Amino acid sequence: MSIHYTIQPTSPAAHIFTVTLEISDPDPTGQVLRLPAWIPGSYLVREFSKNIVQIEARDSGENLVGLDKLDKHTWKAAPVQGALKLTYQVYAWDLSVRMAHLDQNHGYFNGTSVFLEVIGQAEGLHTVDIQAPSDPHCKDWRIATTLKELEAERYGFGSYQAESHDELIDHPVEMGTFELLHFQAAGVPHEVAVTGPHNGDLQRLVNDLIPICTHQIEMFGKPAPMDRYLFQLMLIGNGYGGLEHRASTSLIAKRADLPMLGEHKVSDGYRQLLGLCSHEYFHTWNVKRIKPARFVPYDLSTENYTTLLWAFEGITSYYDDLILNRTERIETDSYLELLGRTITRVRGGSGRLKQSLAESSFDAWTKFYRQDENAPNAIVSYYAKGSLAALALDLTIRLETEGAKSLDDVMRALWTEYGAKGIGVPEMGIEDVAQRITGVDLSHFFEHAVRGTEDLPLRALLAAFGVELRFRPGKNGTDRGGKAAEEEDALRNKGRIGAKITGDKIKQVLDEGPAQDVGLSAGDVIVAINGIKAVKAEAMLAGYPPGTTVTIHAFRRDELFERQVTLAAPSEHYAYLKIMEEVEPEVLARRVSWLKGL
Ligand code: ZN
């Protein structure tokens, strides 16, 4: 029995990969084949099969075999004697970490976009011959992937192997003329393959990744679960994204986020890039191996529902930046700024008072991944609030156990009891492990934080660690919080209509604000405020104090209308954190232990 694929970038100019699939022993009653509808880590049904342009089946005598399409992503070949061979073309023009992309500069694919699953034979050896393009523009290409080599040389075109279809599709492949850097972390060889033009300091990136990776391997305990790890980094003018895999991650970032040679400060963009690397690396344990039982195995033909995404994305989002601080890649003030921004994000919408973390996780497929203009009023992010729940959980455990235990202990236990053994985590498993490992009754905590919608008691918890949480009014639509503002009282004097406005266009209308009260809606274009042409509408409105009634003329579609709007005071949900200088020694000890990971 063998399952063998070939994949070749046959037409980089037309963005076409050609794939063949040879099945030595197809189902004698007719072989069923299916392409995944979604990719693990990105919880949206994306219908990858829409990119299959042509498909045909032949028998071992090269005769065409009937191929019935059963549904959007499933085919059934007529029964054949001997082997069955499928040939199909895949259109690859999605510049994201989730699908496939091909031009004369590089090629990239996730197996979920290109490798049909042979139903009934998903377990067992799968081999793939990755062939070089014949396009002369691509003559110097090589390959960066963590697929195991069969006969290929490392980084070379040739044959690779996987033990199952699930493994085959979890090692994305980059091909092109990428730069390659190597480093060791806790004895594990790591590589960084960088695609795209840039003038950045890659050695500094490597120097920062070494302590981040080492810290995570040591936190979960040696040996690391992978014998090799690859960062596939694509640099473009504007973009951001990452997706975790069992031994690699695919990242897209702005080339301007890399530090320049000779530069030493940590820019906002570089901090974000390091946070992204740290985040995806943490997933090597948390979600790639410690994973919901409902993902074991994945059903890639349809939505897989779990209430636990808050733990897999939220806890990961908590640790990603915290580890930058623990490993001294960023200063503590910088870490607290990021925390303040996350609190600001969560507090900015009333959706947090309507949807719990468990619900946000469960409905990721239809809500978080399909956000519209009403999202702030309807949903809460299981990333952002999930990371705050993880913070609150960590601080609670540290307080209740007087520093004897922390969330680190919970993560290690989840790793040894579930992840390392390949056992899926039941829906209540994380809560059960947390209580058992720490000896703390956390039932009330989880009821509130995970299944409730009240705000987390962060101010009191942070104060016990010598960190003061403050809130202030926002400055403008681009204010993300995290830092104090000058002249807070002056900010309180700037009128608001309770809407996010870009230029003259209303993007979002917040619950119970003046805009919603008078029926201004997302998509409306403000043309005049008190008879003056609206250019930057938000700034013009901020020129009037709260309580002022202004006349707004706006278009909805092509219909002009007028409203009298009484301006409100700015919302005071912009969070920032301050280290308390004069604190008791035990508070200081708690703070150091939390921030340094002791
Ligand atoms: Zn993630």
Side-chain angles (χ1 to χ4, degrees):
M1 296 239 301
S2 74
I3 294 185
H4 179 67
Y5 303 81
T6 65
I7 181 165
Q8 188 185 25
T10 39
S11 180
H15 323 299
I16 296 290
F17 284 106
T18 299
V19 185
T20 66
L21 163 54
E22 293 169 82
I23 306 155
S24 65
D25 297 280
D27 185 333
T29 65
Q31 181 62 54
V32 177
L33 303 131
R34 185 166 61 215
L35 198 68
W38 60 281
I39 182 167
S42 185
Y43 306 103
L44 177 68
V45 171
R46 294 181 192 274
E47 329 280 21
F48 301 128
S49 61
K50 71 185 179 194
N51 291 315
I52 294 188
V53 179
Q54 273 189 310
I55 182 165
E56 63 170 38
R58 289 180 186 269
D59 64 15
S60 49
E62 289 293 312
N63 303 301
L64 272 176
V65 170
L67 197 58
D68 272 351
K69 193 149 191 194
L70 303 186
D71 63 28
K72 63 187 177 185
H73 51 204
T74 314
W75 291 260
K76 184 173 184 179
V80 291
Q81 296 287 325
L84 176 70
K85 180 175 169 181
L86 282 294
T87 303
Y88 51 99
Q89 281 82 43
V90 179
Y91 178 66
W93 197 236
D94 174 71
L95 188 56
S96 81
V97 295
R98 301 178 294 254
M99 293 170 70
H101 191 251
L102 174 65
D103 63 13
Q104 289 160 322
N105 297 321
H106 92 126
Y108 170 82
F109 65 81
N110 283 288
T112 37
S113 282
V114 297
F115 296 134
L116 285 171
E117 179 183 343
V118 181
I119 301 299
Q121 299 188 39
E123 296 300 317
L125 183 67
H126 286 54
T127 57
V128 54
D129 190 12
I130 307 176
Q131 299 178 346
S134 55
D135 187 321
H137 289 97
C138 313
K139 62 180 171 27
D140 297 323
W141 283 19
R142 52 183 179 159
I143 288 178
T145 181
T146 45
L147 271 173
K148 273 202 185 65
E149 296 85 0
L150 182 60
E151 285 170 358
E153 304 258 319
R154 182 146 297 181
Y155 312 119
F157 288 93
S159 58
Y160 291 79
Q161 59 182 318
E163 293 304 317
S164 63
H165 185 262
D166 175 66
E167 181 185 330
L168 178 71
I169 61 174
D170 199 21
H171 297 278
V173 174
E174 171 70 25
M175 50 180 77
T177 54
F178 48 82
E179 292 167 81
L180 197 56
L181 293 99
H182 300 264
F183 66 92
Q184 297 272 327
V188 178
H190 288 62
E191 296 131 83
V192 186
V194 182
T195 298
H198 69 89
N199 296 315
D201 184 352
L202 292 181
Q203 192 53 50
R204 181 170 165 200
L205 176 63
V206 164
N207 294 347
D208 286 327
L209 287 176
I210 292 169
I212 292 167
C213 298
T214 304
H215 181 92
Q216 295 193 21
I217 292 173
E218 289 175 350
M219 179 181 146
F220 282 99
K222 291 187 199 175
M226 64 297 191
D227 52 21
R228 175 188 172 204
Y229 192 88
L230 169 67
F231 290 90
Q232 292 167 327
L233 173 60
M234 173 138 200
L235 294 167
I236 59 177
N238 195 9
Y240 177 78
L243 197 61
E244 65 276 9
H245 300 282
R246 65 189 67 188
S248 62
T249 178
S250 299
L251 310 166
I252 289 180
K254 286 185 202 173
R255 68 177 69 93
D257 287 348
L258 272 185
M260 301 289 286
L261 280 164
E263 191 181 36
H264 294 290
K265 71 176 175 56
V266 181
S267 67
D268 276 16
Y270 186 50
R271 179 176 62 178
Q272 186 181 39
L273 175 60
L274 290 180
L276 179 65
C277 293
S278 178
H279 179 98
E280 303 305 344
Y281 197 77
F282 198 87
H283 276 316
T284 309
W285 293 266
N286 197 35
V287 95
K288 291 314 301 186
R289 290 174 175 83
I290 307 167
K291 60 167 80 168
R294 291 183 177 180
F295 287 178
V296 185
Y298 294 112
D299 178 354
L300 296 179
S301 69
T302 188
E303 290 87 350
N304 291 188
Y305 296 102
T306 173
T307 57
L308 292 178
L309 291 184
W310 73 268
F312 293 101
E313 289 304 341
I315 294 176
T316 302
S317 297
Y318 170 55
Y319 275 105
D320 57 18
D321 292 334
L322 180 62
I323 287 168
L324 300 189
N325 184 69
R326 283 183 178 178
T327 56
E328 299 180 342
R329 298 305 97 193
I330 60 173
E331 307 276 348
T332 292
D333 283 349
S334 176
Y335 172 63
L336 295 180
E337 181 190 7
L338 292 171
L339 216 45
R341 284 187 181 181
T342 305
I343 296 170
T344 303
R345 242 174 48 230
V346 173
R347 295 282 181 117
S350 61
R352 77 188 197 282
L353 306 173
K354 300 171 187 166
Q355 188 188 46
S356 69
L357 282 177
E359 290 166 336
S360 178
S361 301
F362 193 90
D363 286 330
W365 308 85
T366 48
K367 294 195 172 183
F368 184 78
Y369 268 94
R370 288 188 177 166
Q371 294 184 36
D372 60 19
E373 67 289 337
N374 197 44
N377 300 326
I379 67 166
V380 70
S381 162
Y382 54 81
Y383 282 85
K385 189 184 170 188
S387 77
L388 299 183
L391 165 70
L393 179 59
D394 193 16
L395 298 185
T396 301
I397 294 169
R398 288 169 181 275
L399 261 184
E400 297 284 325
T401 62
E402 295 181 359
K405 298 284 181 190
S406 74
L407 188 57
D408 292 17
D409 296 291
V410 177
M411 297 314 295
R412 271 191 289 273
L414 286 167
W415 167 240
T416 52
E417 294 180 24
Y418 290 105
K421 293 180 180 161
I423 301 171
V425 182
E427 292 291 289
M428 292 302 285
I430 289 170
E431 298 179 31
D432 291 344
V433 166
Q435 304 215 67
R436 180 160 44 76
I437 290 300
T438 62
V440 179
D441 179 2
L442 294 162
S443 51
H444 182 75
F445 174 89
F446 285 117
E447 211 47 49
H448 270 251
V450 176
R451 284 173 288 281
T453 55
E454 289 156 50
D455 285 327
L456 298 161
L458 291 176
R459 193 194 294 258
L461 278 170
L462 286 163
F465 288 76
V467 176
E468 188 185 353
L469 170 58
R470 294 186 183 176
F471 290 97
R472 62 166 174 80
K475 288 185 269 192
N476 51 47
T478 58
D479 188 355
R480 297 164 71 185
K483 279 189 168 145
E486 288 172 14
E487 303 197 338
E488 283 191 14
D489 283 337
L491 290 179
R492 289 191 181 91
N493 221 15
K494 293 178 183 292
R496 295 282 193 274
I497 60 165
K500 184 171 190 295
I501 310 170
T502 304
D504 56 5
K505 190 164 185 178
I506 298 179
K507 298 287 189 183
Q508 291 171 330
V509 173
L510 300 175
D511 267 354
E512 294 173 13
Q516 194 184 63
D517 284 350
V518 302
L520 286 164
S521 301
D524 290 349
V525 175
I526 298 176
V527 289
I529 297 166
N530 278 350
I532 308 292
K533 181 179 173 180
V535 184
K536 292 178 178 167
E538 185 193 46
M540 285 174 69
L541 291 163
Y544 299 93
T548 312
T549 299
V550 297
T551 302
I552 290 182
H553 283 88
F555 276 108
R556 177 165 307 164
R557 300 179 298 276
D558 58 354
E559 299 162 26
L560 184 68
F561 65 102
E562 178 191 322
R563 290 289 185 275
Q564 307 293 315
V565 185
T566 303
L567 300 178
S571 162
E572 303 225 6
H573 69 268
Y574 293 76
Y576 61 101
L577 302 168
K578 282 183 73 95
I579 292 282
M580 297 174 179
E581 298 298 340
E582 313 259 311
V583 291
E584 300 294 321
E586 75 216 41
V587 173
L588 180 63
R590 262 184 225 137
R591 186 169 72 208
V592 170
S593 171
W594 163 48
L595 289 170
K596 296 296 167 204
L598 304 172

mmCIF file of all heavy atoms in Angstrom, residues 41 242 244 279-280 283 286-287 312-314 316-317 383, ligand 1:
data_model
loop_
_atom_site.group_PDB
_atom_site.id
_atom_site.type_symbol
_atom_site.label_atom_id
_atom_site.label_comp_id
_atom_site.label_asym_id
_atom_site.label_seq_id
_atom_site.Cartn_x
_atom_site.Cartn_y
_atom_site.Cartn_z
ATOM 1 N N GLY A 41 -5.853 25.816 13.487
ATOM 2 C CA GLY A 41 -5.264 27.069 13.955
ATOM 3 C C GLY A 41 -6.026 28.286 13.473
ATOM 4 O O GLY A 41 -5.900 29.368 14.033
ATOM 5 N N GLY A 242 0.284 34.877 11.495
ATOM 6 C CA GLY A 242 1.106 33.737 11.875
ATOM 7 C C GLY A 242 0.226 32.521 12.036
ATOM 8 O O GLY A 242 -0.952 32.640 12.368
ATOM 9 N N GLU A 244 0.565 28.385 13.549
ATOM 10 C CA GLU A 244 1.405 27.418 14.239
ATOM 11 C C GLU A 244 1.326 26.040 13.592
ATOM 12 O O GLU A 244 0.277 25.649 13.095
ATOM 13 C CB GLU A 244 0.961 27.316 15.702
ATOM 14 C CG GLU A 244 -0.455 26.759 15.921
ATOM 15 C CD GLU A 244 -1.575 27.796 15.809
ATOM 16 O OE1 GLU A 244 -1.291 28.940 15.394
ATOM 17 O OE2 GLU A 244 -2.729 27.455 16.142
ATOM 18 N N HIS A 279 4.559 33.859 20.340
ATOM 19 C CA HIS A 279 3.203 33.304 20.363
ATOM 20 C C HIS A 279 3.138 31.977 19.599
ATOM 21 O O HIS A 279 2.693 30.957 20.128
ATOM 22 C CB HIS A 279 2.242 34.330 19.739
ATOM 23 C CG HIS A 279 0.814 33.887 19.682
ATOM 24 N ND1 HIS A 279 -0.113 34.272 20.622
ATOM 25 C CD2 HIS A 279 0.147 33.086 18.804
ATOM 26 C CE1 HIS A 279 -1.288 33.728 20.326
ATOM 27 N NE2 HIS A 279 -1.159 33.012 19.225
ATOM 28 N N GLU A 280 3.602 32.009 18.363
ATOM 29 C CA GLU A 280 3.482 30.795 17.543
ATOM 30 C C GLU A 280 4.352 29.669 18.105
ATOM 31 O O GLU A 280 3.985 28.502 18.038
ATOM 32 C CB GLU A 280 3.855 31.094 16.080
ATOM 33 C CG GLU A 280 3.037 32.210 15.418
ATOM 34 C CD GLU A 280 1.526 32.000 15.464
ATOM 35 O OE1 GLU A 280 1.079 30.874 15.734
ATOM 36 O OE2 GLU A 280 0.789 32.992 15.249
ATOM 37 N N HIS A 283 2.688 27.810 20.871
ATOM 38 C CA HIS A 283 1.691 26.857 20.361
ATOM 39 C C HIS A 283 2.300 25.483 20.083
ATOM 40 O O HIS A 283 1.554 24.510 19.953
ATOM 41 C CB HIS A 283 1.095 27.381 19.051
ATOM 42 C CG HIS A 283 -0.038 28.342 19.211
ATOM 43 N ND1 HIS A 283 -1.060 28.156 20.105
ATOM 44 C CD2 HIS A 283 -0.324 29.492 18.546
ATOM 45 C CE1 HIS A 283 -1.943 29.154 19.979
ATOM 46 N NE2 HIS A 283 -1.508 29.973 19.052
ATOM 47 N N ASN A 286 1.121 24.384 23.367
ATOM 48 C CA ASN A 286 -0.275 24.705 23.687
ATOM 49 C C ASN A 286 -1.130 24.864 22.426
ATOM 50 O O ASN A 286 -1.222 25.951 21.873
ATOM 51 C CB ASN A 286 -0.325 25.997 24.517
ATOM 52 C CG ASN A 286 -1.658 26.176 25.223
ATOM 53 O OD1 ASN A 286 -2.268 25.195 25.644
ATOM 54 N ND2 ASN A 286 -2.097 27.412 25.356
ATOM 55 N N VAL A 287 -1.718 23.810 21.988
ATOM 56 C CA VAL A 287 -2.689 23.626 20.901
ATOM 57 C C VAL A 287 -2.187 22.657 19.839
ATOM 58 O O VAL A 287 -2.986 21.955 19.243
ATOM 59 C CB VAL A 287 -3.209 24.915 20.198
ATOM 60 C CG1 VAL A 287 -2.465 25.285 18.929
ATOM 61 C CG2 VAL A 287 -4.696 24.755 19.896
ATOM 62 N N PHE A 312 -6.404 28.026 24.612
ATOM 63 C CA PHE A 312 -5.333 27.763 23.650
ATOM 64 C C PHE A 312 -4.819 29.045 23.012
ATOM 65 O O PHE A 312 -3.617 29.180 22.787
ATOM 66 C CB PHE A 312 -5.802 26.711 22.640
ATOM 67 C CG PHE A 312 -5.995 25.401 23.333
ATOM 68 C CD1 PHE A 312 -7.248 24.944 23.694
ATOM 69 C CD2 PHE A 312 -4.884 24.675 23.739
ATOM 70 C CE1 PHE A 312 -7.401 23.769 24.403
ATOM 71 C CE2 PHE A 312 -5.020 23.499 24.453
ATOM 72 C CZ PHE A 312 -6.289 23.040 24.795
ATOM 73 N N GLU A 313 -5.696 30.002 22.764
ATOM 74 C CA GLU A 313 -5.219 31.284 22.226
ATOM 75 C C GLU A 313 -4.959 32.309 23.334
ATOM 76 O O GLU A 313 -4.011 33.087 23.248
ATOM 77 C CB GLU A 313 -6.211 31.839 21.208
ATOM 78 C CG GLU A 313 -6.238 31.061 19.900
ATOM 79 C CD GLU A 313 -4.885 30.947 19.213
ATOM 80 O OE1 GLU A 313 -3.963 31.728 19.506
ATOM 81 O OE2 GLU A 313 -4.742 30.041 18.369
ATOM 82 N N GLY A 314 -5.804 32.314 24.359
ATOM 83 C CA GLY A 314 -5.659 33.325 25.411
ATOM 84 C C GLY A 314 -4.426 33.095 26.276
ATOM 85 O O GLY A 314 -3.643 34.016 26.517
ATOM 86 N N THR A 316 -1.857 31.407 25.444
ATOM 87 C CA THR A 316 -0.706 31.639 24.554
ATOM 88 C C THR A 316 -0.455 33.139 24.395
ATOM 89 O O THR A 316 0.699 33.588 24.412
ATOM 90 C CB THR A 316 -0.958 30.959 23.184
ATOM 91 O OG1 THR A 316 -1.187 29.563 23.413
ATOM 92 C CG2 THR A 316 0.214 31.139 22.242
ATOM 93 N N SER A 317 -1.527 33.915 24.265
ATOM 94 C CA SER A 317 -1.362 35.368 24.117
ATOM 95 C C SER A 317 -0.850 36.011 25.403
ATOM 96 O O SER A 317 -0.197 37.051 25.359
ATOM 97 C CB SER A 317 -2.695 36.013 23.728
ATOM 98 O OG SER A 317 -3.118 35.529 22.478
ATOM 99 N N TYR A 383 -8.930 35.792 22.267
ATOM 100 C CA TYR A 383 -7.495 36.110 22.379
ATOM 101 C C TYR A 383 -7.290 37.150 23.489
ATOM 102 O O TYR A 383 -6.539 36.935 24.429
ATOM 103 C CB TYR A 383 -6.968 36.724 21.086
ATOM 104 C CG TYR A 383 -6.688 35.769 19.968
ATOM 105 C CD1 TYR A 383 -7.704 35.360 19.109
ATOM 106 C CD2 TYR A 383 -5.391 35.302 19.728
ATOM 107 C CE1 TYR A 383 -7.443 34.502 18.061
ATOM 108 C CE2 TYR A 383 -5.128 34.451 18.669
ATOM 109 C CZ TYR A 383 -6.154 34.054 17.837
ATOM 110 O OH TYR A 383 -5.886 33.206 16.795
HETATM 111 ZN ZN ZN B 1 -2.391 31.700 18.337
#
